[in-house]
Amino acid sequence: MIKTRICDLIGIEYPIFQGGMAWVATGELAAAVSESGGLGIIGSGQAPADWLRAEIRKVKAITKKPYGVNVMLMSPFVDEVMQVILEERVPVITTGAGNPGKYVPMLKEIGTKIIPVVASVALAKRLEKAGVDALIAEGMESGGHIGEIGTFPLVPQVVDAVKIPVIAAGGIADGRGLIAALALGAEGVQMGTRFMCAEECTISPLIKDKIIKAKDRSTVITGRSTGHPVRCLDNHFTREVDQYEREGMSPDEISELGVGRLRLAMVDGDVQNGSIMAGQIAGAVNRIEPVANIVQDIMESAEREFERLSARFGERRR
Ligand code: TUI
């Protein structure tokens, strides 16, 4: 049985988080992941507080198990979103795209566990000092807004810099990735792209099909000139942005091009003009299946992989 400190800290069976993806991770998906023994996380993105409250209520109606909400700290609604989290007594929050330090005291007061996403050792250290409960170290293999460092170099450096549990994210979609993350010193994994292809994920089937057809080199990074690089599946939109960046369009204008594109992809299924945020591991996600199967497959394959390594390398001293 693969159990770690993170399982005890938040009361989950398996050390698997489902990434809190904006426009993707609805209450339906989060509830299914939590009910299967992982941590389901609602992606609040730039959604208003009322939307979030409705999604939280959906989760509460389906499962009594712990769940989380991802707070995108650049959202214009971040203060209202935090208010809903307090009122609904959400057990776990993850945060992205900023420093959640100022919200730590009020969340601690009601016992909400705070698990920020970091892409650097410096922020990891600052947030541990601010009193957060654990960290997600997210490498640039991830989809969406990314940092500069890959998962393999980032995770061990964050693990060495802090005492709190670290979850690895970026480029992980199966049991091999879970075992590798544990070997790097992480105590769990967060996966986004794999859960996009869950039956319970409400995104357009056209997007799921794109992920299933994706290969190892199907993602590209755009928006470097804006200081906020984003990883997406290559399509008409990413090629257009790339060309404008080469031609020297201003960072503000480049950012403007992205407005509304994530929704256009995920909800409307516009595979050419939308922003299909997905990670480099998309090439290894090959089928649509129920969340319960995904979680079982990850845990069974992790245990198989661990057995294989033990049989191969564990008998040296006998
Ligand atoms: O947050 C993410 N990935 C995301 S957020 C997102 S939402 C969106 N919605 C509409 C359009 C575009 C995007 C999509 N993907 N990952 C977690 C993450 N956080 N990675 C890197 C960071 C990060 C970046 C800067 C964390 C902190 C930070 O600066 C804080 C500081 O104080 O330096």
Side-chain angles (χ1 to χ4, degrees), residues 5 99 101 104 108 114 116 118 121-135 158-166:
R5 279 194 294 172
N99 182 339
V104 171
K108 286 224 151 224
I114 309 156
V118 299
V121 168
L123 185 59
K125 284 179 164 171
R126 279 211 299 281
L127 289 171
E128 181 180 50
K129 282 204 191 94
V132 306
D133 298 281
L135 292 165
V158 171
V159 165
D160 286 349
V162 300
K163 294 198 171 65
I164 51 179
V166 175

Side-chain angles (χ1 to χ4, degrees), residues 170-198:
I172 303 169
D174 60 22
R176 292 170 297 186
L178 171 54
I179 294 298
L182 296 173
L184 295 177
E187 302 196 44
V189 289
Q190 173 165 281
M191 300 186 185
T193 306
R194 176 113 191 234
F195 285 113
M196 288 176 77
C197 288

Side-chain angles (χ1 to χ4, degrees), residues 72-152:
M72 219 273 281
L73 293 164
M74 288 191 306
S75 165
F77 302 112
V78 59
D79 288 322
E80 305 166 39
V81 158
M82 286 293 185
Q83 194 54 41
V84 170
I85 285 164
L86 293 174
E87 286 166 13
E88 298 289 329
R89 304 186 91 78
V90 173
V92 179
I93 72 155
T94 62
T95 64
N99 182 339
K102 73 169 182 178
Y103 301 104
V104 171
M106 66 196 216
L107 291 163
K108 286 224 151 224
E109 215 163 281
I110 63 158
T112 297
K113 300 286 184 259
I114 309 156
I115 312 184
V117 179
V118 299
S120 72
V121 168
L123 185 59
K125 284 179 164 171
R126 279 211 299 281
L127 289 171
E128 181 180 50
K129 282 204 191 94
V132 306
D133 298 281
L135 292 165
I136 300 166
E138 186 187 86
M140 55 83 78
E141 296 91 327
S142 295
H145 277 273
I146 52 173
E148 300 280 358
I149 310 170
T151 302
F152 252 79

Side-chain angles (χ1 to χ4, degrees), residues 6 8-12 17 30 34 38-42 52 55-57 59-60 63-71 82 84-94 106-115 133-134:
I6 202 72
D8 300 330
L9 180 73
I10 58 184
I12 53 176
F17 289 17
S34 287
L39 185 74
I41 302 176
I42 299 166
L52 176 60
E55 298 306 303
I56 291 171
R57 299 267 166 95
V59 173
K60 286 177 173 173
T63 184
K64 298 287 161 268
K65 296 187 183 179
Y67 65 94
V69 169
N70 176 264
V71 182
M82 286 293 185
V84 170
I85 285 164
L86 293 174
E87 286 166 13
E88 298 289 329
R89 304 186 91 78
V90 173
V92 179
I93 72 155
T94 62
M106 66 196 216
L107 291 163
K108 286 224 151 224
E109 215 163 281
I110 63 158
T112 297
K113 300 286 184 259
I114 309 156
I115 312 184
D133 298 281

Side-chain angles (χ1 to χ4, degrees), residues 4 25 29 36 97 169 205 240 303:
T4 67
L29 179 63
S36 298
E240 199 175 54
E303 274 161 29

